[in-house]
Structures are given as structure tokens and as C-alpha cells.
Amino acid sequence: MALRAHRRYGEIMKDVEELINDHIVHQKRGTQGRSKLKLLVPSVGVFFTSILLEKAFKFQDMERRISSRRFVAPSFNDIRLILNTAQIMGIIEEGGPPELVTFDGDVTLYNDGECLTADNPVIHRILDMLKRGTKIAIVTAAGYIEAEKYHGRLVGLLEAVDRAVKDQVLKNPVLLVVGGESNYLFKFDAFSPHLLKYVPREAWMLDEMKAWTEEDIQTLLDVAEAALRDCIKNLGLSADILRKERAVGIIRSNHPLAGRFTREQLEETVLVTQQVVEISPVGGVLPFCAFNGGNDVFVDIGDKSWGVLACQNYLGGIPGSRTLHIGDQFLSAGANDFKARSACTTAWIANPIETVRLLDELVRHSA
């Protein structure tokens, strides 16, 4: 029974893989609208590499014993992990390990609301990638203009890289931090007080980003703030407005009786605010991202696709096929990693433990 299920599941994966390959052929010709996959899934996006689903299924079936289960069908998580493996295999098959790996912060590198401390097992995996010449960027929604605050969130990693540089284990590592989705860029610098050096916008912004005017930015944030205030009133939220240079959001009130927001409240706030901004005149001029941060909702100027694209450009033009973005928010509603799919290959993880396993898998398949 298990062998029959394994064979049938493999055949299904192969069929889907062939649909994707057909779409990639059309994509290269500029006729992706005519592919079979596009007809079946009109919302399908860009594929930067082949997706080796059959091979990935066989690997994950050995890990998770999917076809050995008698009563539990393949789950969403099974499919998500198969797709992650298939994407990694596709990257490696077409050019070896990725040149640039970008990470989300919360829930991807460390638990929500915590920091990247020295005992986090992901640190030595990132150090190993840096030793092999892989470039690393952390693309986070946290929008600070001070290096000190990013140092506080990433202290374990930054200090580990600093020690490796001083011990001459690492030479000229490329470690970037992109804040506010796509609004601030810092690079590792052993001589800076907080091990991060601010990179002026004119040194890394894409030409399209330079066209974003301050007047439009503030207008969009005004529209978003008004929508957020309406949500606070209509949903009875114990929340305060937090306005930043290039973002606005709601956070839980300091009132002693204020509790955590419910998932439904957060999602409703995201969707309402997103729609209000989208239909506004400025919403058609500037890209923005409205997202659910777990216990807050923020609207940022730009999004992670712009953050990843800016990293690729700053590092000399690394293509999307040689870039891997790892994050936990890929649901289309209120998820800020979702936009990165248009800039590069992606892997969807559920927690920091999965990130560690994914990086180990990357090494395993690269061997």
C-alpha cells in the first residue's frame, strides 16, 4: 500500500512539474499567458528556476513518511516543505548554491518579539554560508534609522561575525540589514560602534524608488493612518497609532487592561486599510505593504520585493534565480514576505527550527 501511494504521489508531482516546465518555456518566450498552468491557475506568478517536485517529494517522503500514512492525507505543511525542497534543488541544479540568501527576522530567525541571541543555532549556519562566499541580507519590517536598535535585535549574529573577522576566519563578509521592508540599508562594519554602518539611500536605491516623492509618501501615510483610526473605532481596539518616517501602524495600548489583538481583528484591519489605500489616488502611485505583525498592523512604504531587489542591485546585479528569500509570511492577505516572490526564489518556513533545517538541507543538496 505504501509503495503504491509513493508511486502515485510521485506521478502527481511529476505531472505538476511538467506543467511548471511548460510555463517556464512560455515565460522565456514572453507567452506565459498561453501556458497550460496559466489557464488552470490564472494567478500563477514568475518562476525563476525549475521546481523539481518529483525528486523533492521522494526526499520529503523519506523524511516525513507521507506515503506510509493510512488515515492522514498529505497536508498543507507536507506540500509546503516539498515545495521548499523542490525550489532549493532547482536553484542548485541550475547554478549551485544561491549567491544571496535573504531572511525575514521575527519567526524566521528568532521567535516573535525576541532577538537573535548567541545561543541560536541558525548563527553558525549563517557563518558557514558567509565562509563559502554566500552573501546574506536580513530584510525586516522593523523600521529603525539607528544602527543600535538593529544591533539589539541581531546581537548574537553580529558579534559572532565580528569575532570570526577578528580571528581571520571570515574575510570581507557581506552581511546587510534592510529595514522598513525597503527603506533603510545597513552593512556589517567591524569598525562601527554597533557593527553596522548606515548606507545612504542614494548609494542603493533603485531608479524607480528615487521617483517616490516625500509629498506622496506622507500623503499615503496620512490615508493609511486615517484608515487605521477608523479600524480602532469600529473594532473597539485598545490600540495606539505609531507614526514613523516611512511607516504607520497600530500597536497595543499601554492600558493595563489592554489584551492581545485577535487574529480576526488584525486581519480585518489589514484588509480594510489595504483597500482604503489601494483605492486612494496615491495608492496607485506608490507601492506599499499593509501587514499583520502578529500583535500589530503596519503600513510601510515599499515592500520586501523592493528590499530584495535593492540588495541584488547594490551587490552588483544578482539575479532572482541566484537569490533565495526565506520567510514565514506568504499568505496573500497581510503577509509581507509574499511580495518577495516577484523578486527571487522563496522558501516558506513556519518557525526558526524549520529555518535551521532548511539551511542544513541546502548544504546537504549542495554536496
Side-chain angles (χ1 to χ4, degrees):
M1 181 177 175
L3 286 175
R4 186 165 61 250
H6 177 86
R7 184 175 63 254
R8 184 61 185 134
Y9 291 158
E11 290 169 352
I12 293 169
M13 292 295 171
K14 184 62 176 177
D15 289 342
V16 177
E17 184 178 328
E18 289 176 354
L19 283 172
I20 294 172
N21 289 339
D22 171 72
H23 183 80
I24 292 172
V25 170
H26 280 279
Q27 192 174 272
K28 290 177 179 177
R29 294 173 180 167
T31 58
Q32 57 268 34
R34 302 177 190 173
S35 76
K36 296 175 184 176
L37 185 60
K38 187 72 173 179
L39 294 173
L40 292 169
V41 187
S43 62
V44 68
V46 175
F47 290 94
F48 293 92
T49 70
S50 57
I51 309 293
L52 306 184
L53 286 171
E54 183 184 25
K55 186 177 178 181
F57 165 72
K58 291 177 180 178
F59 174 81
Q60 285 293 344
D61 197 30
M62 290 293 294
E63 298 289 310
R64 299 172 67 81
R65 303 295 179 182
I66 300 167
S67 57
S68 296
R69 300 196 302 242
R70 295 177 59 196
F71 299 105
V72 178
S75 67
F76 175 83
N77 283 329
D78 291 326
I79 300 303
R80 178 175 58 80
L81 294 173
I82 290 169
L83 284 167
N84 287 348
T85 299
Q87 181 60 88
I88 286 175
M89 289 176 169
I91 296 171
I92 292 168
E93 182 181 75
E94 296 192 12
E99 295 177 37
L100 170 64
V101 178
T102 64
F103 296 90
D104 174 43
D106 285 69
V107 186
T108 299
L109 292 175
Y110 43 83
N111 291 326
D112 191 25
E114 297 184 4
C115 301
L116 189 50
T117 53
D119 59 348
N120 192 310
V122 80
I123 291 175
H124 84 255
R125 271 87 172 176
I126 293 177
L127 287 176
D128 286 343
M129 286 193 293
L130 289 168
K131 289 175 189 175
R132 293 192 295 270
T134 304
K135 299 170 179 66
I136 301 295
I138 296 165
V139 184
T140 173
Y144 309 129
I145 59 174
E146 308 93 350
E148 180 179 6
K149 290 187 177 180
Y150 289 112
H151 180 272
R153 298 292 291 272
L154 306 170
V155 57
L157 175 61
L158 292 171
E159 293 185 353
V161 173
D162 186 47
R163 284 193 301 272
V165 169
K166 288 176 178 174
D167 294 341
Q168 298 186 344
V169 175
L170 279 178
K171 292 184 179 180
N172 302 318
V174 176
L175 173 60
L176 305 177
V177 177
V178 179
E181 312 278 0
S182 59
N183 288 297
Y184 311 101
L185 180 65
F186 294 80
K187 64 179 180 180
F188 173 80
D189 181 19
F191 300 101
S192 294
H194 302 292
L195 303 177
L196 288 170
K197 182 179 180 180
Y198 177 75
V199 181
R201 284 189 177 126
E202 57 268 20
W204 59 268
M205 288 180 71
L206 301 168
D207 289 340
E208 298 92 330
M209 300 169 80
K210 293 175 183 177
W212 303 349
T213 68
E214 190 61 29
E215 180 181 0
D216 284 341
I217 289 170
Q218 295 308 317
T219 299
L220 188 146
L221 294 179
D222 288 343
V223 172
E225 181 175 338
L228 290 169
R229 289 189 184 279
D230 284 343
C231 287
I232 291 174
K233 178 182 177 181
N234 295 336
L235 298 176
L237 303 177
S238 297
D240 294 326
I241 294 286
L242 179 59
R243 179 84 174 239
K244 299 183 179 182
E245 181 195 27
R246 292 202 165 193
V248 63
I250 60 168
I251 58 175
R252 189 175 62 178
S253 170
N254 288 327
H255 192 281
L257 297 180
R260 288 182 64 89
F261 303 131
T262 65
R263 178 178 62 83
E264 292 79 7
Q265 288 173 327
L266 292 168
E267 290 185 358
E268 176 71 8
T269 302
V270 167
L271 294 172
V272 167
T273 305
Q274 181 173 294
Q275 184 184 54
V276 169
V277 177
E278 281 178 346
I279 64 176
S280 71
V282 74
V285 175
L286 284 182
F288 70 94
C289 179
F291 67 95
N292 171 1
N295 202 32
D296 56 38
V297 171
F298 268 87
V299 176
D300 283 329
I301 300 299
D303 57 51
K304 286 195 178 178
S305 69
W306 291 99
V308 173
L309 287 169
C311 285
Q312 292 168 338
N313 184 64
Y314 181 70
L315 295 173
I318 299 173
S321 60
R322 305 298 303 135
T323 305
L324 174 66
H325 178 72
I326 302 171
D328 68 291
Q329 292 204 19
F330 282 98
L331 291 173
S332 56
N336 59 351
D337 290 305
F338 180 81
K339 296 288 185 71
R341 297 193 317 167
S342 65
C344 65
T345 69
T346 56
W348 183 352
I349 57 82
N351 53 60
I353 294 173
E354 280 195 5
T355 301
V356 170
R357 290 174 180 164
L358 184 75
L359 296 181
D360 287 344
E361 197 177 309
L362 183 59
V363 172
R364 182 172 175 180
H365 296 310
S366 299

